Amino acid sequence: MNGGRDVARAVDALRRGWPVEIDGTAFLAVETADEAALAAFDADGSADILVSGNRAVTLKLANQIEGVPTGPVRIARAPWHDLAGATAIADPALDLKTPLKGPFQAVPLGAPDAAGAALRLARLAGLLPAFFIGGRGDGTAIASADVAAALDSPEVSIASRARLPVAAAEQAEIVAFRVSGDAAEHVALVIGAPTGRPPLVRLHSECLTGDVLGSLKCDCGPQLDAALAAIAAEGWGILLYLRQEGRAIGLVNKLRAYALQDQGYDTVDANLRLGFGDDERNFAVAASMLARLSQDEVRLLTNNPRKVEGLEAQGIRVAERVPLKAGLNPHNRLYLATKRDRSGHHF
């Protein structure tokens, strides 16, 4: 069987509110479930609830297991854990409205590989990382090893390419890539022609609010413009436009994080309360894209040392890190300070 296609089918099932089976354990995403789906999945009300370790910390479950949870946490089903109750457990937007949702009881995970794979699929689907676990599946089955392979060692292929003059550089070519297990299509904009030096490369993660709508909450739009200008000035380089909205938690979850920021949380804590890591991006796809373009050494235009580490871990040598400064305004001052102080960015 094709592991990438199986992953894509599983992601589609989760988005549609259908259960999936991973290594024989059935999961139903809390966010997209309805009463009928839950009744079919869990007729006797015995299925437990699965959340991420970061969400478990918010729910005060860290004292029930050894240390602070970093992986999935299984919550024993209680009589009041109906769909509405599970939604309150999953969605931090409801924390202030229903602050006393417990007590909760953490129980042995039972299927750690399957549970971890389920949470990774939720992120890929753009859903909150919370599931009913242990009910009845419907035939959509996948192996946890296939999820790991699709995300950690993605199969990347060039789908199409064409000349694309842009405002920053008239001599440019756009190259579209397809990735196994992922419906998103990533692109590279290749500017100029090789000069004998490693290309100046920018990994730019998709940001609808910043790139298209001109949001002042982040610096993404100005960084995109500045990167294109810098590559054009060099005469040779590549911009990878990666479909990793909201540091790879998806557009809807990014907007949820924005709502939490309005409650006073910074961008890192908002992501953690949602149940995600502060940065869920995986740069294996970017490295594979560069390899398909026959580039194994780059000068990387970034303030983020994780991008350097991510590329080098995948075999792309970073000859130089080139800083990129753009987009500071009164609305994103705290956001940029958080990137510097908590995420290790160098400005």
Side-chain angles (χ1 to χ4, degrees):
M1 296 180 68
N2 186 301
R5 290 181 180 178
D6 291 343
V7 169
R9 291 190 188 101
V11 167
D12 183 64
L14 293 179
R15 286 173 173 162
R16 293 173 183 270
W18 300 342
V20 300
E21 290 184 20
I22 306 174
D23 297 344
T25 298
F27 299 85
L28 179 68
V30 170
E31 181 177 347
T32 52
D34 57 23
E35 296 290 355
L38 180 57
F41 180 80
D42 184 34
D44 61 1
S46 63
D48 293 330
I49 295 173
L50 183 77
V51 297
S52 72
N54 287 328
R55 185 61 182 150
V57 170
T58 300
L59 297 172
K60 309 302 182 186
L61 284 165
N63 62 340
Q64 295 188 23
I65 59 179
E66 185 176 349
V68 176
T70 56
V73 174
R74 187 167 181 160
I75 301 171
R77 191 72 173 272
W80 59 274
H81 287 166
D82 56 9
L83 184 57
T87 300
I89 289 171
D91 191 349
L94 304 175
D95 287 347
L96 296 182
K97 296 179 181 178
T98 55
L100 300 176
K101 294 189 286 288
F104 305 108
Q105 181 183 359
V107 296
L109 198 53
D113 291 342
L119 295 183
R120 298 188 78 181
L121 285 176
R123 182 190 59 75
L124 197 60
L127 303 178
L128 290 168
F131 290 87
F132 291 100
I133 175 175
R136 178 175 176 272
D138 71 346
T140 303
I142 189 173
S144 59
D146 287 337
V147 178
L151 296 180
D152 298 333
S153 303
E155 297 177 10
V156 178
S157 60
I158 294 176
S160 182
R161 58 198 309 163
R163 188 179 69 86
L164 183 71
V166 296
E170 292 186 9
Q171 185 183 350
E173 180 187 32
I174 189 166
V175 185
F177 295 81
R178 288 198 173 119
V179 183
S180 62
D182 188 353
E185 292 157 339
H186 307 269
V187 300
L189 186 70
V190 181
I191 292 176
T195 61
R197 297 184 66 196
L200 184 62
V201 171
R202 171 67 179 169
L203 312 186
H204 186 87
S205 297
E206 176 183 35
C207 179
L208 173 69
T209 50
D211 298 343
V212 179
L213 302 178
S215 168
L216 298 177
K217 287 178 67 71
C218 64
D219 56 344
C220 299
Q223 281 196 331
L224 176 60
D225 293 338
L228 288 171
I231 293 171
E234 285 278 325
W236 159 231
I238 303 168
L239 182 132
L240 301 187
Y241 196 84
L242 306 169
R243 306 295 297 281
Q244 300 183 134
E245 183 82 49
R247 298 183 185 176
I249 66 174
L251 177 61
V252 172
N253 285 322
K254 183 177 84 166
L255 299 186
R256 288 176 171 136
Y258 280 0
L260 290 174
Q261 290 168 34
D262 290 341
Q263 295 178 16
Y265 298 101
D266 67 26
T267 184
V268 171
D269 284 333
N271 278 21
L272 296 179
R273 289 187 77 87
L274 284 165
F276 299 104
D278 68 315
D279 191 339
E280 292 279 359
R281 287 175 293 183
N282 180 337
F283 296 108
V285 169
S288 294
M289 291 167 69
L290 289 169
R292 295 294 178 273
L293 294 172
S294 301
Q295 304 300 321
D296 59 7
E297 183 177 5
V298 302
R299 298 165 59 233
L300 194 61
L301 191 59
T302 186
N303 305 319
N304 185 354
R306 293 186 189 179
K307 291 183 178 180
V308 176
E309 295 165 3
L311 287 185
E312 292 194 327
Q314 297 293 326
I316 302 296
R317 181 173 181 269
V318 178
E320 179 186 3
R321 185 187 69 82
V322 181
L324 178 65
K325 296 183 180 181
L328 174 65
N329 68 70
H331 297 276
N332 66 18
R333 191 176 301 276
L334 177 60
Y335 165 78
L336 294 179
T338 300
K339 287 210 294 187
R340 180 193 65 219
D341 298 337
R342 301 194 65 186
S343 300
H345 289 215
H346 303 300
F347 292 100

